[in-house]
């Protein structure tokens, strides 16, 4: 839980609350700033918990394109005895999911 609290400190909660209230998002403009701030922190904690519990689902369902843009370029890996290798091949110039092709030398 301490790690989440440190992550929350990275947000400027006062500005976030102000924006939520100015836009009237989910009727935040009718609520006290402290209540909006507490709700945002609880929502953020539940989001972090969701990511921790099911990272593959979360990434797949929340703008996976942004995730791929932060991955390093594909690499080629060979086993020491060179009998099996895994080749990672990018389909297009845009960052898309890589296809893994496994070949075995007979």
């Amino acid at each position: 839980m301490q790690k989440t609290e440190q992550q929350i400190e990275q947000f400027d909660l006062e500005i976030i609350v102000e924006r939520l209230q100015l836009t009237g998002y989910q009727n935040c403009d009718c609520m006290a700033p402290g209540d909006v701030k507490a709700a945002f922190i609880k929502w953020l904690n539940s989001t972090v918990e969701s990511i921790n519990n099911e990272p593959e689902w979360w990434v797949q369902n929340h703008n996976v394109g942004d995730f791929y843009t932060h991955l390093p370029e594909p690499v080629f890996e060979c086993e020491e005895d060179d009998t099996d290798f895994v080749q990672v091949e990018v389909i297009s110039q845009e960052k898309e999911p890589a296809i893994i092709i496994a070949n075995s030398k007979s």
Side-chain angles (χ1 to χ4, degrees):
M1 188 67 159
Q2 184 179 9
K3 192 171 191 177
T4 302
E5 290 171 6
Q6 291 171 344
Q7 292 166 336
I8 290 172
E9 290 174 4
Q10 296 176 14
F11 293 95
D12 189 336
L13 295 175
E14 303 309 318
I15 289 176
I16 293 170
V17 168
E18 182 180 317
R19 293 286 309 267
L20 291 171
Q21 290 186 312
L22 285 174
T23 61
Y25 183 76
Q26 298 291 323
N27 294 320
C28 286
D29 54 332
C30 300
M31 299 174 202
D35 292 339
V36 176
K37 182 177 179 179
F40 181 80
I41 290 170
K42 287 179 183 178
W43 171 79
L44 189 59
N45 284 331
S46 68
T47 301
V48 170
E49 185 177 324
S50 172
I51 295 168
N52 284 334
N53 290 337
E54 298 183 77
E56 64 286 343
W57 178 90
W58 203 91
V59 169
Q60 195 66 30
N61 290 284
H62 293 86
N63 202 355
V64 71
D66 284 345
F67 177 74
Y68 286 120
T69 62
H70 297 289
L71 290 174
E73 292 298 318
V75 295
F76 295 90
E77 297 179 12
C78 295
E79 300 220 357
E80 287 182 21
D81 62 3
D82 287 332
T83 58
D84 294 321
F85 67 93
V86 175
Q87 178 180 351
V88 179
E89 182 179 316
V90 176
I91 296 175
S92 72
Q93 293 295 356
E94 294 180 18
K95 298 249 182 171
E96 299 221 359
I99 296 176
I100 298 176
I101 304 168
N103 292 323
S104 295
K105 293 181 183 178
S106 300

